[in-house]
């Protein structure tokens, strides 16, 4: 209990009882960073070229540069160190280069930004030496030394739990199992739900930018063509009709572009968020597996004590460790939930806003004006 | 010239010079009829059953009954008698029965109504004995006698032109050819235009009632499912989010139904009109062929006169006949144009009105309300 008042050791990971249950220790000011300014660099006298991004943390306000492979290195370190307890989502895909290089770089930067912001928001990750090194190294020497040190860090797998200090009473294994069941069910259902929404969004995107755009354009062209044909009749008194046909045709061409441009405005953000959550949720089976194994082990401990294969104290320690692991899981789930609510709130706000704009825009394209003209 | 003041002989077909050029003689009051009340009838002690429609002309206000095969009989008579000069569009398809019998009968009735109204609007057709018989026969005996008489009518093919009285100066063959070129080009272009609009409308209809409806439903379900999953989190403070997800999901299901129901509201009428015009325009190649043959014949007449194969008077008569044929064509084209403008004006008005309604309806579904809730 004393430790609470001692100066914080950076490698201890306290867990407190918050309003929503066990929570990580959150820093007073939220770390964040800006990923920007992708620049082409080269090495080996121009033989090898790469893209370097500038990352500026709000803690130092001093930019550092990193290539994609440095992000990848960071991802590997974080996964090794925290992967048993925290979901560390994959980076955006490595492959894919080619023709749309600028667009690709922009997209990758956007996704690296999202990934970094998510890592910054995580109190355990953001406070780790390796993450701090990545964001705040002073010079090449500092980076190289820090890298070497991080690569020597032997904290891997379940060892991370030994750093955790839940400042709360131990949990009974049955309580642990209950939490485990709840979280396991939730993350699996959410994974299914997110994947389903993602796949239908993808389909809808393809339809809007493919056949639907083509069809609206075609309707537009067909109406304009009919207008042109009617204009050649030499018959009097059809100026209103041909004008209405022509303008409606043009409005349809506008609708085609609006419909095709819409997914980039609304679905894009929803799909990016869903994609991030797909990544996060994809990490849970491993985390859940670790919990499950520990639960089974403790369940088996009674038998082992009876067979004299382990001492009662060993069993007690195992239950204590399980309790710690469960607290870590609970703290992580509470972190996950609060972020999830924040993220989906924002994305739904944004999505609805763009949808409302869409229907209003089309409503206001002037179809009604030509309707009035025809009725005169 | 005297004939103008003589009592009108019903079988003469005068052509006058109107404001827009040569025109048929239009009746003072426009004939129209209502096709309604389809009833199942049977024959041969119930062995054969059929649908009988009630047709009530505005001239007598007395309903008569006809089966589809009577319409078909009328179509055959009109085609034989007028087909070389006037486009007599085909009846709605004969085949197709089956499961949706009620819907099929309704659709056929709608199309028979459109066909009858179009025929009623035609001054030459509507004034003919056979058409009048169809609409106003008094009893079975009257109908049978009239039928027999109509079937004996030997006016067929180009003979119809001999009944025509253009009360205008004869046209030079070069002028005839000019008109011919103009009309031929116009009807062909319009045929292409109408077919193109029809086929893209058909595609769009299928998309709205098929994959698009399915996709909107799927998005709706996926959002509602995510809302349900979120509700099981046990985490506090997400009521606003889950409610917004749920309601947006439901709104998407509404959009699915609105999108799928829209074609029946707007495209339907546009497609029916286009279909009628496809039918009308399909008759022009024959009419144009008759004109073309007559033009060639008159062109050849000079040579035949020189070879003494025909007398100069014969050539003169041929040119006069050609002039009459051309006037008939012009009168018919003027009739066609004025109907076309009327029909497309109406259909565009209706179409735009429904489109405006559609976007307004979706705008007002309440997406914006949930947007405000989320922003609070």
């Amino acid at each position: 209990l004393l430790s609470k008042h001692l100066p914080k050791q950076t490698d201890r990971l306290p867990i407190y009882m918050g309003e929503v249950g066990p929570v990580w220790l959150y820093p007073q000011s939220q770390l964040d960073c800006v990923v920007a300014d992708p620049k082409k660099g080269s090495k080996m006298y121009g033989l090898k070229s790469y893209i370097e991004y500038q990352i500026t943390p709000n803690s130092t306000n001093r930019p550092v540069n990193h290539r994609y492979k440095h992000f990848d290195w960071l991802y590997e370190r974080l996964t090794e160190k925290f992967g048993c307890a925290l979901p560390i989502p994959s980076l955006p895909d490595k492959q894919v280069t080619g023709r749309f290089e600028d667009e690709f770089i922009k997209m990758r930067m956007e996704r690296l930004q999202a990934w970094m912001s998510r890592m910054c928001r995580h109190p355990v990750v953001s406070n780790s030496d390796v993450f701090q090194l990545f964001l705040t190294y002073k010079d090449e020497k500092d980076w190289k030394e820090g890298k070497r040190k991080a690569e020597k860090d032997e904290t891997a797998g379940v060892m991370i739990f030994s750093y955790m200090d839940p400042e709360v009473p131990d949990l009974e294994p049955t309580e642990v199992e209950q939490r485990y069941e709840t979280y396991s069910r939730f993350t699996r259902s959410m994974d299914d739900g997110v994947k389903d929404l993602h796949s239908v969004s993808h389909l809808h995107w393809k339809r809007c930018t493919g056949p639907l755009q083509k069809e609206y354009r075609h309707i537009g062209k067909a109406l304009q063509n009919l207008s042109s044909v009617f204009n050649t009749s030499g018959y009097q008194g059809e100026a209103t009709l041909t004008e209405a046909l022509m303008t409606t045709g043009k409005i349809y061409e506008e609708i085609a572009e609006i419909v095709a441009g819409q997914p980039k405005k609304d679905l894009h953000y929803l799909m990016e968020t869903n994609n991030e959550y797909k990544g996060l949720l994809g990490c849970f089976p491993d985390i859940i597996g670790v919990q499950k194994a520990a639960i089974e082990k403790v369940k088996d401990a009674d038998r082992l004590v009876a067979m004299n294969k382990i001492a009662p104290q060993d069993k007690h320690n195992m239950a204590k460790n399980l309790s710690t692991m469960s607290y870590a899981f609970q703290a992580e789930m509470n972190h996950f939930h609060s972020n999830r609510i924040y993220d989906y709130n924002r994305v739904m706000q944004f999505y609805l806003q763009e949808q409302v704009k869409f229907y209003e825009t089309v409503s206001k394209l002037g179809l009604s004006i030509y309707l009035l003209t025809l009725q005169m």
Side-chain angles (χ1 to χ4, degrees), chain A:
Chain A
L1 273 164
L2 253 176
S3 69
K4 208 171 178 179
H5 305 285
L6 286 175
K8 200 116 313 284
Q9 288 167 268
T10 50
D11 45 1
R12 298 311 295 171
L13 301 169
I15 299 170
Y16 297 106
M17 193 52 80
E19 265 180 58
V20 295
V23 290
W24 301 118
L25 174 69
Y26 285 84
Q28 293 229 301
S29 71
Q30 166 93 61
L31 182 64
D32 202 359
C33 69
V34 174
V35 181
D37 205 15
K39 269 201 189 104
K40 219 166 181 173
S42 64
K43 254 183 158 178
M44 294 167 52
Y45 310 101
L47 276 177
K48 263 193 153 179
S49 64
Y50 53 83
I51 303 290
E52 208 166 47
Y53 302 87
Q54 198 182 65
I55 300 112
T56 314
N58 61 356
S59 53
T60 61
N61 238 340
R62 221 178 46 80
V64 295
N65 293 319
H66 282 298
R67 297 166 54 182
Y68 179 82
K69 74 170 197 179
H70 300 164
F71 285 93
D72 201 36
W73 176 86
L74 175 63
Y75 168 72
E76 289 297 336
R77 297 289 81 67
L78 295 177
T79 308
E80 275 173 23
K81 196 175 169 73
F82 299 119
C84 277
L86 318 175
I88 308 292
S90 310
L91 287 173
D93 282 345
K94 205 165 204 163
Q95 308 99 313
V96 197
T97 37
R99 296 177 299 157
F100 303 107
E101 222 176 316
D102 278 354
E103 209 167 305
F104 171 69
I105 290 166
K106 193 176 153 257
M107 173 63 100
R108 169 175 277 182
M109 193 177 73
E110 234 180 270
R111 288 179 173 169
L112 288 174
Q113 171 74 69
W115 189 84
M116 282 302 291
S117 288
R118 190 164 297 282
M119 295 297 98
C120 282
R121 268 199 264 164
H122 199 291
V124 175
V125 171
S126 66
N127 200 37
S128 67
D129 288 346
V130 62
F131 195 74
Q132 286 294 332
L133 170 75
F134 186 85
L135 278 183
T136 61
Y137 73 90
K138 286 185 194 71
D139 48 34
E140 209 53 27
K141 190 171 153 265
D142 194 25
W143 169 245
K144 289 239 161 103
E145 275 178 18
K147 251 184 95 174
R148 220 169 302 130
K149 201 181 142 213
E151 280 159 7
K152 275 192 202 140
D153 185 350
E154 282 170 347
T155 315
V158 292
M159 278 169 67
I160 192 67
F161 294 111
S162 62
Y163 290 85
M164 293 180 183
D165 285 335
E167 311 208 338
V168 277
D170 286 355
L171 277 177
E172 282 304 306
T174 51
E175 285 177 278
V176 170
E177 201 167 357
Q178 231 169 34
R179 310 282 151 131
Y180 159 83
E181 295 286 359
T182 308
Y183 294 155
S184 163
R185 209 177 311 117
F186 181 85
T187 50
R188 263 184 291 126
S189 317
M190 182 168 169
D191 193 37
D192 292 345
V194 161
K195 277 179 184 157
D196 187 38
L197 185 55
H198 199 70
S199 74
V200 68
S201 303
H202 185 75
L203 258 179
H204 192 57
W205 185 310
K206 291 278 160 212
R207 189 164 328 274
C208 288
T209 56
L212 211 53
Q213 179 188 37
K214 227 178 112 193
E215 232 160 72
Y216 280 121
R217 277 185 186 162
H218 192 161
I219 293 174
K221 292 274 177 226
L223 290 170
Q224 288 176 73
N225 176 42
L226 210 55
S227 169
S228 304
V229 172
F230 285 3
N231 258 330
T232 68
S233 75
Y235 198 83
Q236 296 158 10
E238 58 183 318
T240 323
L241 174 61
T242 55
E243 207 192 315
L245 278 167
M246 185 57 81
T247 314
T248 308
K250 281 180 186 157
I251 289 176
Y252 264 85
E253 289 191 314
E254 283 185 69
I255 294 178
E257 303 317 307
I258 294 172
V259 163
Q262 193 58 19
K264 248 188 199 159
K265 289 190 185 165
D266 52 21
L267 275 184
H268 173 69
Y269 188 35
L270 181 63
M271 285 178 75
E272 286 295 308
T273 303
N274 268 333
N275 208 28
E276 276 190 76
Y277 273 85
K278 255 174 76 180
L280 279 167
L281 290 160
C283 300
F284 278 103
D286 280 352
I287 296 172
I288 283 166
V290 170
Q291 298 272 323
K292 180 81 180 167
I295 291 170
E296 296 304 322
K297 221 170 147 187
V298 170
K299 276 186 178 171
D300 206 34
D302 278 330
R303 200 176 51 87
L304 294 174
V305 170
M307 289 167 70
N308 265 333
K309 290 208 172 173
I310 59 169
Q313 183 59 35
D314 289 338
K315 193 210 138 183
H316 178 76
N317 288 342
M318 282 162 70
K320 194 177 169 59
N321 288 343
L322 178 62
S323 168
T324 301
M325 287 171 72
S326 178
Y327 276 123
F329 195 20
Q330 289 178 57
E332 189 51 29
M333 281 307 291
N334 285 330
H335 178 75
F336 179 82
H337 284 321
S338 86
N339 275 278
R340 171 180 59 76
I341 294 171
Y342 175 80
D343 288 336
Y344 277 90
N345 241 313
R346 265 184 73 200
V347 82
M348 282 305 292
Q349 251 186 55
F350 193 79
Y351 186 71
L352 287 173
Q353 192 174 304
E354 291 300 321
Q355 282 279 302
V356 170
K357 265 196 222 163
F358 167 71
Y359 288 106
E360 279 179 2
T361 307
V362 180
S363 286
K364 284 176 189 154
L365 274 182
L367 288 170
S368 45
I369 294 166
Y370 280 86
L371 175 59
L372 289 173
T373 319
L374 282 175
Q375 281 167 340
M376 282 192 305

